[in-house]
Amino acid sequence: MKKYTLALSLCLLFSLVAFAQDSKVFDQMTLQSKILNMERKYAIYLPPGYETSQRAYPVLYLLHGAGDDQTGWVQFGEVQYIADKAILEGKSTAMIIVMPDANTSKRGYFNDVYNEWRYEDFFFEELMPEVEKKYRIKSEKKYRAIAGLSMGGGGTFFYAMHRPDLFSSACPLSAALRSSTFEEFKQGLPTNKTEVKNTDSLQGYYDRHSALRQIELNDLAAMKSVKWYFDCGDDDFLYEGNSMVHIAMKKKDIPHEFRIRDGAHNWTYWRTSLPEVLSFVSDTFRQK
């Protein structure tokens, strides 16, 4: 029995190695942004069979956290190995994974208070159209998902809230979803090196970037049109904000999956999250 188990394990390992050689990851891809007036980088995972087929694939936008860049999920998240394994085992459908860089010049996935730095506009108006034209991507809501960790988990939540027409599923992991009040938000602007020129736009900006306000204000049917999957470690310092979002969505009867597992705010945790994310978003990609 032991010999049989060993042989089976070796067979799976060799199959995975051969399978992995067929997938490709490029982590220094670039595009010129007119909105940001600079060149931006992104990484991309092309699944096994992409280069020899003519088919179009669903897409997952996978966002990194603060301090990382587009190589974070490649280097530390082991995205190629994890995605290859999930596809080989039938837990994930073959998909393209796009990993943008949100850590150049200024950090973060959003426009700033006065729309002088417009990263969110860049993402939707330049990055998405560029990659979905350049690669064989199915550009429909049903076949588009978004996920990310920490800062990228916050980006995932708000992108899906702001544009529920574009994403079939959203998976915020250890998401930066702090529940600061409007007054706390205003007091924190100088700390974030934001010069307060006028206060007219601050309430609208706060509402757009407060997780609880988004749940309170946004169209209920639109929020329900996205399949939600939250995952946060029980020792994570962002546990409270994620839990409050879970409670607020429960009160609104917004269907979602909410996972609290043993772990902290680190790559050890997120590497175990990714297979579940791939499985979850694949459910929306598959025909039922």
Side-chain angles (χ1 to χ4, degrees):
M1 180 61 72
K2 288 183 178 179
K3 289 183 179 180
Y4 174 78
T5 303
L6 178 61
L8 189 62
S9 299
L10 288 173
C11 182
L12 178 62
L13 177 62
F14 292 143
S15 298
L16 185 57
V17 169
F19 194 70
Q21 291 173 347
D22 195 21
S23 68
K24 295 287 187 298
V25 168
F26 303 96
D27 66 4
Q28 297 294 321
M29 306 302 295
T30 61
L31 74 154
Q32 189 64 39
S33 170
K34 293 181 180 179
I35 291 174
L36 300 178
N37 192 31
M38 65 187 304
E39 189 176 73
R40 301 297 300 193
K41 291 182 179 181
Y42 65 93
I44 192 161
Y45 165 87
L46 302 176
Y50 178 86
E51 293 187 333
T52 56
S53 76
Q54 297 299 315
R55 60 168 289 199
Y57 293 83
V59 62
L60 169 65
Y61 289 89
L62 188 59
L63 311 184
H64 66 77
D68 284 327
D69 56 23
Q70 81 282 358
T71 66
W73 275 106
V74 176
Q75 180 66 36
F76 308 117
E78 300 178 5
V79 65
Q80 185 174 20
Y81 170 78
I82 291 172
D84 285 345
K85 186 172 185 291
I87 295 168
L88 180 63
E89 294 175 348
K91 297 177 180 178
S92 170
T93 189
M95 67 184 77
I96 291 171
I97 302 176
V98 179
M99 296 155 278
D101 171 27
N103 200 33
T104 301
S105 181
K106 295 186 180 181
R107 176 187 291 178
Y109 292 96
F110 309 118
N111 296 5
D112 66 16
V113 175
Y114 302 111
N115 263 349
E116 294 170 350
W117 174 259
R118 297 165 49 211
Y119 188 92
E120 184 170 347
D121 292 345
F122 155 75
F123 183 92
F124 287 113
E125 297 174 23
E126 292 182 328
L127 176 68
M128 278 182 47
E130 169 79 11
V131 298
E132 294 187 9
K133 179 182 179 182
K134 183 174 183 177
Y135 302 95
R136 298 194 308 275
I137 289 174
K138 294 183 176 182
S139 300
E140 305 166 46
K141 170 184 169 81
K142 175 180 172 62
Y143 299 110
R144 189 187 293 114
I146 188 166
L149 65 91
S150 194
M151 179 181 79
T156 296
F157 176 85
F158 289 107
Y159 278 11
M161 280 286 178
H162 296 168
R163 295 300 308 269
D165 57 308
L166 293 180
F167 301 106
S168 58
S169 56
C171 305
L173 310 175
S174 309
L177 299 173
R178 298 179 178 87
S179 54
S180 59
T181 65
F182 181 51
E183 289 303 316
E184 290 170 337
F185 161 71
K186 288 193 295 183
Q187 292 170 9
L189 290 176
T191 305
N192 297 327
K193 299 180 181 179
T194 299
E195 179 186 354
V196 180
K197 301 175 183 178
N198 64 72
T199 59
D200 295 343
S201 61
L202 292 185
Q203 183 66 58
Y205 189 88
Y206 170 77
D207 289 345
R208 187 171 172 81
H209 298 89
S210 164
L212 298 182
R213 289 291 286 165
Q214 285 288 283
I215 296 170
E216 179 183 348
L217 297 172
N218 286 3
D219 180 75
L220 187 60
M223 289 188 286
K224 288 184 175 181
S225 75
V226 179
K227 288 186 64 179
W228 297 93
Y229 179 95
F230 295 84
D231 185 9
C232 189
D234 57 358
D235 294 320
D236 196 306
F237 68 96
L238 295 172
Y239 168 85
E240 182 179 5
N242 283 262
S243 299
M244 292 178 71
V245 165
H246 162 60
I247 293 168
M249 294 182 86
K250 285 285 286 185
K251 289 181 177 179
K252 284 270 191 174
D253 292 322
I254 301 170
H256 64 285
E257 300 295 322
F258 182 66
R259 300 285 182 270
I260 295 292
R261 300 183 292 112
D262 181 36
H265 199 81
N266 55 38
W267 279 108
T268 299
Y269 190 86
W270 301 318
R271 281 190 293 268
T272 62
S273 299
L274 186 55
E276 299 303 318
V277 167
L278 296 174
S279 176
F280 183 83
V281 303
S282 291
D283 287 343
T284 65
F285 297 155
R286 293 183 176 116
Q287 189 68 40
K288 294 182 179 179

